[in-house]
Amino acid sequence: MLEFAREQWLWLFALVGVFYVAWWFARRYRKQRVTYGQIWERVAKKVLPPGWKRIVRTALTLFISGVLLSSVVLYAAGLQRPKGEQPAPLVVFLLVDNGPGMRAVQDNKTLAALAQERAQQIVNKLDEHDRAALVWKQNGRAVVGAWLKHGDQLGDAPATDWAPGTAQANLAGIPLPPDIPANPPPQRLAIMLSERDFKPDVGVPVRTERFGPRAPNDGFWSARYLPPAEGDGTAGTVEFKTLRNGKVEARELTTGKALEVSDGRVVLPIQAEPLEVRLSLTNPDVLMQDNTLMLRLHPRRLATVTLCHPADEDPNPFLVRTLEMLLPGRTVETRAVAPGEPVKADLLVCDRVLPEVSDARFLLCFGVLPPAFGATGAPVDARPNLQLRVEPPKDLGFEVPELTLINGRDAIPLEPGHKLAPLAKLLSGETLVGVRRGQPELLYSGFLPHRSTLLQDSSGLLLLLRWLSAIQADERVLFPPFVDADAETEFQLDQQGELQIEVARGNHWLPSFGPKSYRLTTGADGRGRLGPFAIPGEHAVLRSGSEVARFTALRKLPGTIGIDNQSRVDLDELFSHQVEPDWRDYLPGALLWIALGTLLLEWLLWLLGITE
Amino acid sequence: MPLFDETTLTRLRRLRLAAGRVQRGGARGERLSRQFGAGQEFGAHRPYAQGDDLRRVDWNVYGRLGQLFLKLFEQPGQLRVLLVADDAPTMNFGEHDKWLAARRALGAVGLIALEGSEKVLLSRLGQPKPVNFDGTGESRLLQLLEEMPLRDGPAASAPLHSLFERRGRDSVLVLVSDFQDAEPLLKLLRDARRSGVRAIAISIAAEEELNPTLEGFTRLQAVSGGETRMRVDERVLQAYREEVKLYREGITRAVHAAGAAFIELDSADPIEPLIVDLMRAGVLGA
């Protein structure tokens, strides 16, 4: 008739009770030898209340103690109905959809968070012997979480899994938790919580709960960066596609300038600062993670060009035109050198004069050289084919054309001891043309533009063109800024290299299952293949621990999130297997209240003087 | 356990010397005396004990009975000091034992009296058969007191009463008790008064029974029998102290009504002040 979930507590309380009673009686009957026995008897008659009052109070005290202790014992020992009368435990598998669509936002919460809240509600409805377990998809496989019971907290929703399809699992074969009664046999049930409309086959009855109102989803799913064509005066073009052809706006983040978007194309401007362009959908939707696209390009772009010329001369127009031809899209600023006036530009062209103060990343010097790199000598006449043949350094980064046919008058060679790599020399060994790679990039020409064939000879122009291309070239441009997350993308670097590719910290899809880091080694020619990637979004490319580039892996997401026919599982009906409570469920609590009531009665009787 | 340590005995000897000087000053013989002693008038016989003066042996009796008896003569002015100890079980109580204190008091009085060549008789209520001591019986007196037991049953004072009727005058009764069973004691004191015997009642009490330090649920087992169960708290102790105070006041009045002097003594008190008080009152050495 009475069974206890924790019977050992009965023995523990019995042991404690024995000790308590022994202690109580020992304290009650402590002997003390006294004289004046008659006086003690008189005192006892005087101070002790009448016998019946003592009996009443003692009886009440014993009753309260007994009832209170019984209540505590029953609570601790877990009074329960016999196992034969108990309902069959319910084992609920909560199939939580953790696809990317669950990251859509509804009422300021993601669908994943809403599903997790719903799962928590179900866990809170569990009976004492019922158990639940979360089931989610991880890298395409079903994962069953730890057993949950009433009161357990679920924590955060599972990360997003990008594997296609639905996880299949045989939930009927999952071993049951050992702490639930095996008789009667537990009932297994699965509840699917998803924004999609499907019913998985998991081997046990499935009840589906679909939520998330049907809402359109727009987003970037394809993009391509087109490097600038020779002489187009741009930093390249981005071509993109969106799911629903929504309006897209583009903004260069460094300067804050809005860029023009037309027909799925954005033309990127050339600027000295790092180029960071964000493309975003004008109208946000429920799934915001695919609504933006980032492009980051190399900052070493040549944007501003200044030509310094002697103050008593006009700028060489032929040189200006040549520079504008070689650097399309850029304006060549001319300036007569004044003492003490600073000059700032990306490319500083010094025609026989050198400003006292300058700030430039690239220097093109004709007949003058900053003292830090060497000194110039006396003018000489340079005749064609009367120059030494020079083998240029191998790591120069560009091919040096044949320069021996260039001739000029008053060519200014460099004094020995300069720090440039010679590209052309006089027969006497003095350097006429030299170059320096690194910061700053420097090209020195002893051939003066107005007194030589440097700008008329194809080899001279070719030298300038290749040098300008070399100083603007960078492997980041060679790395594709956008790749298809589900396909391989081929790329070509300038040399062989080992790269580490990681999901970027700012990637909106970062809380996802799947590999987050890759190691990649290009071929000897610098060619390599990229992808596919488990997690879409922005990735960082690291070389020797330093970030050298970023790219975005794109994946096509559903154009619609949520469903029309939402359904809810009736939890009251689901957990109606619970039987009505009977006296065994109420007994511990009733005893507690009886004890408290009697305690109040005893206090009132004492207050009224009925007992003492 | 000896009644007195050497220090106490030394102090008592000084008091005995003082008492002797007072007596030798001429007080002896001025009293009306019917006591036995070393005088001219025969009074009684008593068995010989080791240390007695052989010159006082009654050789005639020895010739007839073959046993040594001393001839006791009534000495004019000799005082008879009757020492009576209440050997009730309640006397065995207290950290400073009341029974020990009582025997010390009687021993001190007896020693002083013997020094004054007074006649000393020692008895206890449970076995009221007085034992006589003369001037040479100090060691016997102390030995008897050390070995004196407590009684098991009720007191019986009838033989003492008969002693008063026969030789009441020139006698002093020194009664030491805790007066917890007062009725036979008061009867004894009244009998003494009727017999013309001066009586001094010394009431001994222990600190534990005047101001008990009990607390909590206690089974109070009275030494005299009976048991009381109660939870002792300050209210109970206050009532007890008031009852004890009333009782002791009643005893004081009753003792005075019986014509006896009444002295209260704490079982932890030293004995010398009591002797000094008795000497000043003329009971000893006067």
Side-chain angles (χ1 to χ4, degrees):
Chain A
M1 182 170 150
L2 291 180
E3 283 189 14
F4 297 92
R6 299 171 291 277
E7 200 162 314
Q8 65 273 23
W9 281 92
L10 292 176
W11 294 105
L12 179 64
F13 273 103
L15 193 63
V16 172
V18 166
F19 278 109
Y20 175 75
V21 169
W23 172 83
W24 193 79
F25 274 101
R27 183 174 180 272
R28 179 75 175 82
Y29 293 106
R30 189 175 56 189
K31 291 180 184 176
Q32 186 67 42
R33 187 168 169 265
V34 294
T35 57
Y36 289 119
Q38 293 175 342
I39 290 181
W40 278 115
E41 288 177 5
R42 282 206 299 277
V43 170
K45 285 177 184 172
K46 186 187 290 185
V47 300
L48 291 179
W52 70 270
K53 287 190 175 183
R54 279 186 285 161
I55 290 173
V56 169
R57 186 169 181 187
T58 304
L60 283 174
T61 304
L62 288 175
F63 179 76
I64 292 168
S65 307
V67 172
L68 199 59
L69 187 65
S70 301
S71 173
V72 173
V73 169
L74 292 178
Y75 269 126
L79 175 65
Q80 62 185 14
R81 274 169 285 185
K83 289 184 173 60
E85 297 180 25
Q86 290 174 355
L90 198 59
V91 176
V92 184
F93 295 96
L94 300 166
L95 308 176
V96 179
D97 181 4
N98 59 330
M102 295 295 282
R103 298 282 285 276
V105 175
Q106 177 190 340
D107 299 332
N108 294 325
K109 288 184 179 176
T110 62
L111 297 183
L114 292 174
Q116 198 75 353
E117 285 181 6
R118 183 61 175 165
Q120 182 69 64
Q121 289 176 6
I122 296 172
V123 169
N124 292 343
K125 288 286 267 182
L126 296 176
D127 197 8
E128 181 186 357
H129 295 304
D130 294 341
R131 294 292 181 271
L134 279 185
V135 182
W136 65 88
K137 198 174 62 164
Q138 187 166 328
N139 299 322
R141 294 185 176 183
V143 175
V144 181
W147 290 112
L148 303 162
K149 54 188 176 184
H150 177 84
D152 284 348
Q153 296 299 311
L154 296 186
D156 295 332
T160 302
D161 191 70
W162 291 87
T166 307
Q168 301 295 318
N170 180 20
L171 299 180
I174 301 287
L176 291 174
D179 58 340
I180 63 170
N183 187 25
Q187 296 178 1
R188 296 181 189 232
L189 176 71
I191 298 177
M192 182 74 215
L193 303 170
S194 174
E195 50 91 21
R196 290 178 289 170
D197 191 6
F198 70 94
K199 196 169 187 177
D201 179 15
V202 289
V204 299
V206 179
R207 302 179 72 166
T208 55
E209 179 158 325
R210 306 183 185 95
F211 51 93
R214 185 181 181 87
N217 173 44
D218 202 355
F220 295 96
W221 66 275
S222 170
R224 190 160 63 115
Y225 171 72
L226 304 174
E230 287 290 339
D232 70 351
T234 70
T237 306
V238 174
E239 288 182 351
F240 60 85
K241 291 179 183 173
T242 62
L243 290 165
R244 290 178 170 269
N245 298 322
K247 188 179 178 186
V248 173
E249 57 188 21
R251 186 170 295 277
E252 204 292 309
L253 298 180
T254 309
T255 59
K257 284 194 295 187
L259 305 179
E260 186 180 346
V261 180
S262 63
D263 298 333
R265 292 168 59 91
V266 178
V267 177
L268 306 175
I270 293 176
Q271 62 184 31
E273 292 79 9
L275 190 66
E276 287 193 16
V277 178
R278 184 181 67 199
L279 283 72
S280 56
L281 290 166
T282 306
N283 300 315
D285 53 24
V286 291
L287 192 61
M288 292 180 286
Q289 284 83 348
D290 60 351
N291 287 2
T292 58
L293 204 58
M294 287 295 298
L295 174 73
R296 302 169 204 266
L297 286 184
H298 184 244
R300 294 176 61 198
R301 284 285 168 179
L302 199 160
T304 57
V305 182
T306 299
L307 169 62
C308 297
H309 57 87
D312 55 349
E313 292 182 15
D314 291 333
N316 184 342
F318 191 51
L319 178 58
V320 172
R321 278 200 303 275
T322 304
L323 289 172
E324 288 177 341
M325 181 193 69
L326 295 176
L327 298 168
R330 277 146 284 195
T331 306
V332 177
E333 183 186 351
T334 60
R335 178 179 291 186
V337 170
E341 186 179 352
V343 179
K344 183 176 182 182
D346 292 336
L347 172 62
L348 182 62
V349 182
C350 304
D351 185 9
R352 293 166 288 155
V353 288
L354 196 66
E356 289 181 4
V357 182
S358 63
D359 180 8
R361 290 184 286 127
F362 312 119
L363 283 170
L364 178 56
C365 300
F366 296 105
V368 289
L369 187 68
F373 302 105
T376 53
V380 295
D381 286 341
R383 302 297 176 90
N385 288 323
L386 286 176
Q387 299 166 17
L388 282 178
R389 190 165 190 87
V390 178
E391 190 67 27
K394 290 182 179 177
D395 57 351
L396 204 54
F398 63 94
E399 189 179 351
V400 179
E402 180 61 55
L403 300 176
T404 54
L405 292 179
I406 302 174
N407 68 81
R409 290 178 295 164
D410 299 329
I412 300 175
L414 294 176
E415 292 282 355
H418 60 81
K419 297 178 181 177
L420 306 184
L423 302 181
K425 289 184 176 180
L426 294 171
L427 283 176
S428 57
E430 295 168 304
T431 300
L432 265 180
V433 179
V435 70
R436 180 184 185 276
R437 296 307 307 267
Q439 282 295 335
E441 298 273 3
L442 193 152
L443 179 64
Y444 172 80
S445 170
F447 296 109
L448 303 179
H450 69 294
R451 298 182 73 85
S452 69
T453 59
L454 178 73
L455 302 182
Q456 297 150 9
D457 193 287
S458 60
S459 58
L461 287 173
L462 203 56
L463 171 68
L464 292 179
L465 178 63
R466 287 176 178 175
W467 179 72
L468 287 172
S469 297
I471 62 176
Q472 296 182 81
D474 189 87
E475 65 183 18
R476 304 183 197 211
V477 179
L478 300 174
F479 211 91
F482 306 108
V483 300
D484 184 351
D486 299 318
E488 282 190 346
T489 303
E490 203 167 287
F491 66 96
Q492 168 84 55
L493 294 184
D494 56 344
Q495 57 183 336
Q496 184 182 17
E498 285 196 2
L499 303 173
Q500 172 118 3
I501 296 173
E502 295 178 350
V503 177
R505 288 191 176 180
N507 189 335
H508 297 302
W509 296 113
L510 190 55
S512 297
F513 293 116
K516 296 181 175 63
S517 178
Y518 305 85
R519 186 172 292 279
L520 187 147
T521 304
T522 64
D525 56 353
R527 294 175 67 178
R529 287 175 176 273
L530 209 57
F533 293 99
I535 302 173
E538 205 169 21
H539 288 62
V541 182
L542 308 176
R543 172 180 270 174
S544 302
S546 301
E547 182 177 320
V548 297
R550 285 199 172 203
F551 68 89
T552 300
L554 290 159
R555 176 172 289 150
K556 190 171 187 178
L557 291 169
T560 303
I561 301 291
I563 53 176
D564 288 330
N565 55 337
Q566 298 180 42
S567 63
R568 302 278 283 187
V569 174
D570 185 354
L571 297 184
D572 292 332
E573 180 268 333
L574 179 65
F575 293 98
S576 63
H577 67 286
Q578 297 172 352
V579 297
E580 289 296 318
D582 69 355
W583 64 272
R584 283 162 293 203
D585 300 297
Y586 294 125
L587 183 60
L591 288 177
L592 183 63
W593 283 110
I594 289 171
L596 293 177
T598 317
L599 190 65
L600 184 64
L601 175 65
E602 185 191 26
W603 179 69
L604 286 174
L605 291 176
W606 174 79
L607 208 62
L608 297 172
I610 297 175
T611 62
E612 290 188 30
Chain B
M1 175 185 175
L3 287 180
F4 301 111
D5 54 19
E6 283 302 320
T7 308
T8 309
L9 276 176
T10 304
R11 285 203 291 265
L12 285 174
R13 284 191 194 103
R14 289 178 187 158
L15 289 171
R16 289 166 64 183
L17 285 174
R21 281 197 295 275
V22 171
Q23 285 190 334
R24 281 189 290 275
R28 178 176 296 177
E30 291 181 5
R31 303 188 190 99
L32 292 176
S33 174
R34 292 184 64 187
Q35 297 174 359
F36 302 113
Q40 302 300 316
E41 186 182 349
F42 174 76
H45 283 100
R46 74 162 170 82
Y48 173 81
Q50 188 176 2
D52 285 345
D53 188 357
L54 285 174
R55 290 173 300 177
R56 293 164 62 189
V57 173
D58 190 341
W59 297 106
N60 293 328
V61 174
Y62 178 74
R64 288 198 298 274
L65 300 177
Q67 293 182 355
L68 291 176
F69 281 90
L70 292 186
K71 286 172 72 174
L72 300 178
F73 298 91
E74 286 192 352
Q75 186 176 355
Q78 190 179 29
L79 189 65
R80 292 165 55 81
V81 180
L82 180 58
L83 303 177
V84 178
D86 179 7
D87 54 354
T90 56
M91 292 293 283
N92 180 23
F93 189 78
E95 184 183 359
H96 297 279
D97 189 33
K98 291 193 293 182
W99 181 232
L100 179 61
R103 287 180 290 157
R104 281 177 175 165
L106 292 177
V109 173
L111 289 178
I112 298 294
L114 289 176
E115 176 62 23
S117 299
E118 309 291 6
K119 191 70 178 175
V120 175
L121 290 87
L122 176 64
S123 178
R124 58 187 177 105
L125 287 180
Q127 192 178 12
K129 186 177 179 181
V131 180
N132 294 328
F133 300 93
D134 56 13
T136 59
E138 294 175 1
S139 58
R140 283 189 57 237
L141 173 66
L142 292 178
Q143 183 183 359
L144 208 60
L145 282 170
E146 286 171 7
E147 296 170 353
M148 185 176 281
L150 290 166
R151 74 169 185 265
D152 293 331
S157 60
L160 288 173
H161 177 251
S162 59
L163 193 64
F164 295 154
E165 286 180 347
R166 218 159 35 88
R167 302 185 185 273
R169 289 185 295 176
D170 302 332
S171 297
V172 174
L173 169 65
V174 179
L175 171 63
V176 182
S177 171
D178 59 1
F179 285 92
Q180 296 203 13
D181 184 13
E183 196 50 42
L185 303 171
L186 292 174
K187 185 174 181 300
L188 180 66
L189 293 175
R190 284 192 291 269
D191 289 345
R193 186 178 61 176
R194 277 196 292 273
S195 303
V197 174
R198 293 173 62 194
I200 298 167
I202 299 174
S203 172
I204 287 193
E207 178 63 19
E208 292 91 333
E209 57 190 3
L210 298 180
N211 294 297
T213 55
L214 307 176
E215 189 179 8
F217 291 95
T218 313
R219 189 161 72 178
L220 302 166
Q221 292 184 315
V223 176
S224 56
E227 182 177 287
T228 304
R229 295 180 183 181
M230 65 190 307
R231 180 174 174 272
V232 180
D233 55 12
E234 185 52 38
R235 186 173 60 112
V236 172
L237 292 177
Q238 180 66 26
Y240 170 81
R241 285 192 290 265
E242 289 175 0
E243 286 286 336
V244 169
K245 184 182 174 188
L246 290 173
Y247 178 79
R248 289 170 65 81
E249 287 174 356
I251 291 296
T252 306
R253 285 194 300 272
V255 169
H256 286 154
F262 188 72
I263 297 174
E264 289 186 334
L265 184 67
D266 193 289
S267 61
D269 288 346
I271 211 65
E272 292 89 340
L274 171 69
I275 301 304
V276 172
D277 287 346
L278 290 174
M279 291 173 67
R280 284 177 180 165
V283 176
L284 293 174

